Every structure is written in C-alpha cells, then in structure tokens.
Amino acid sequence: MKLSARLAPTLLAALVLTACAPQTSSNSASDKDDKSGTLRVWLFQEVGNKPKEKVVDSVVAAFEKAHSGTEVDVEYIPVETRAQRVKAAFNDPKSAPDVMEFGNTDTAGYVHDGGLLDVTREFGTWSEAKDTDPTARQSVTVNGKVYGAPFYVGVRALYYRTDVFEELGLEVPRTMAQLATTARKIHAAKPDLYGLVVGGAYTYGAMPFIWANGGDLATGANGSYTSAIDSAAAQKGVKAYTSLFSDDNCPAAKCAGMGGNDTVTAFAAGKAGMAIGGDFSHAAVEAGKVKGRYAVVPLPGVTPGSIAPAFAGGNNIGVLKSTPHRTLATDLMERLASKKTQSSMFDAMGFLPTFTDVRDQAAARQPFVKPFVQTLGAGTKFVPASPAWSQIDSSLILPTMFQEVVSGKKSVASASKDAATKMNDAFGSAG
C-alpha cells in the first residue's frame, strides 16, 4: 500500500455533513478496465484518524495480495473542503480517484453531476448486499440505480442525566409531549441547566419532530420533488420543536444559533438535563463531565412507547465513472464496505454498520449501541434524493425557518411557507 503524504489536518467528523455539489461536468465513463496499476482512494479524515487508517491498511493489504501488479494510494481528505476537491475531480478525470468516500446526502448531487459509476450490476451480485439496511441502500440509490455501497450509518437518540432524573424523581419521557414537560420541570428545578438543549441550526435534531407528527420535508420521487414543509402536519412538528426555545427550557437568545455539536457539547459539559445526540456523540459525552451519570433511550414519538423517526445519516463508498479500473475499483469498494470491514470500523471508530446482522453483533458487544439500533429498527427517514438537497442544506433554508419562528419574526405558517418556496426554487433549478 502506498499512503499519500498529502494528509489533511485533523477535522471534526460528522455523519451527516453536506456541502454544495460540484457543477455539472462533461465527465464521461472510461472505456478502460485495466487489471493492474495504481488505484487512488479518497477517504475522509476523522478526529483521531489512526484507528481508521489501521483498518483500511488491512483491507488494502489483502486487496493488493489478491491482485498482482496493483497498488493502492490512499489519501485522507478534509470533510469540510470535499466539495471543491470533488468538483475538480469530476471536471478533470486525470486528477480523480478511482474510489471515494462521500456523505450519503451527497449521492444524488454527485450522480446529477455525472461523477459516480452506476454499480447496480455489481451490487446486485454482491453476496453481502442482501443484508444491507433498507434506508442505507436508499442512500446509494438514485432513480432506481445503485451508485455505491453504504459504509456506515448514524442516527440520533435521547441522552439524559440519570442523576438529575433520580434527584428530581422524574420518569424517562415516553412521548414528545412528556419530553417537553420533563424539560421544563428540569429547568424550573435547576435554572442553571437547559431542560432539553436544542439548536436553531440543528436541522437533523429537528427533523424527528416533523416526521413524528406525520409531516415530511418533501414529496415525490425519481429526482422530482415538491416541498411539504408547509403542510399542516409538518407545521405541527415545526411548532413542537420551536416551542422548546423558551425561557423555561432553552432560551432563544442562547439556543437559536446552536448547531448539533453545540448541543452535544453543552450536555457533555453538564449544562443540560437532556440532549438529542448521535451514536457518534458517545465518545464526546464519555469524555465530558457527565461520564457515568447519563443514559440513552430512543427519542420518543407522539404516542406512548413509540419511537420518533430519525434521520439516517452516514457515509458511502463509491467508484468514479472516470476510473480506468472498473473491475478492480468495484472489488475494492466492496472490500472497504464489507461486513468484516464495517465490524472492524465499529470497533475502531464506533461507526454503526449498515448491515443489520453486523449491527446486531455490534450491539451485543457494546451495550451503548442498543438504543440507536432500536431507533434504526423502528424506521428511519432520509432527505429527498435530489441534487437540490445540497443547495437547500448549504443555503440554511430550514435553520432560517426555525430561527425566524423562535425569534418571533414570523409565525410557523409564514416561515414554513417561505421555506417551501425556497425549497421548490431549488428543486426546480435542479431539473
């Protein structure tokens, strides 16, 4: 294995980071299928990347041994600047990798821009593919065709302070209404704590409230979508979430600008009774002041005992259309996304496997995973599979809507209508 010296600086990893997709390019499929040579791979640089590198090194060593005359050049790139790198790669195939890791919300945009190889045939004959989680499979599927293999999945659940709940005699909330009531009880008894810390810029923390109330982000399929954020059900969810930005829970002046990392940081620092955090937040919470004094349960839905649908974030591994090594590249993709690799990545990095059987095995080894596996099992949701999503996300359309409501500038009806108009403009411009 050849490891590139062009390693990126350490950056915060995220399951569900999105960025503007590259502009449409003239990139076309390579007519070559060389069975030897050097394959270039781009993977994301994580916080504490060494464990990930160790797993990848093992995969690459086995690949090179199986394919005489091949060499793999792995480069770890910054998540935050991937849009520029990928845009350049799509427009200049000579500089492009053969295999690439990408956020699952980027899939539709990258397909629209002609950069990813259709691997429907290879995925269909891959023996392990049948055990892929349905939502994870959806994240690599555009217009019925498959453009990669799911690498890991991430979902969010409810973190809560066991010591605070015990001291105040509180029960773990079983509905969203109880969640709000419990949050206010915590803040009333302990004014120095947010009851449930929320963030106006925490899009993926807000989505479960919309989905649990029967709403959706958009309706449609096959790349053609219409916003549904202003529907009656979606507005009910927006109201439920924005009502938590109040002086008796999480004051708008402090919480309106918070993102997901901010809310997890506040909880880990002992400043909140509850927070909505991911399986990927576990390490940060364990390293905080609340270590040993918290637990995690699925985020409750509207009815007692139900689980709110969570956004299924995560990353995928795909092959670029410009690769001159199709057979080798798809084999490497499958090895990097295999059950064995995903199991090792879970042990090394805490990434939740996309295979249901491997995920169950991981939960048996590490009990902290169980509420996240329960959440996945209850059914997750995904963003519209449209190239417009990257524009919608990077334009902060939904955070702007939440912030307009919590600041009192607009009503839920007005803010959601304006957000729907902006989303439809983006859907329309994406074609």
Side-chain angles (χ1 to χ4, degrees), residues 343-357:
S343 180
S344 296
M345 278 295 183
F346 170 76
D347 291 335
M349 303 294 296
F351 295 164
L352 270 182
T354 64
F355 298 104
T356 53
D357 54 341

Side-chain angles (χ1 to χ4, degrees), residues 352-378:
L352 270 182
T354 64
F355 298 104
T356 53
D357 54 341
V358 180
R359 197 158 58 219
D360 289 342
Q361 293 164 12
R365 294 199 303 274
Q366 295 288 350
F368 83 84
V369 173
K370 289 182 180 179
F372 302 103
V373 172
Q374 286 179 285
T375 300
L376 285 164

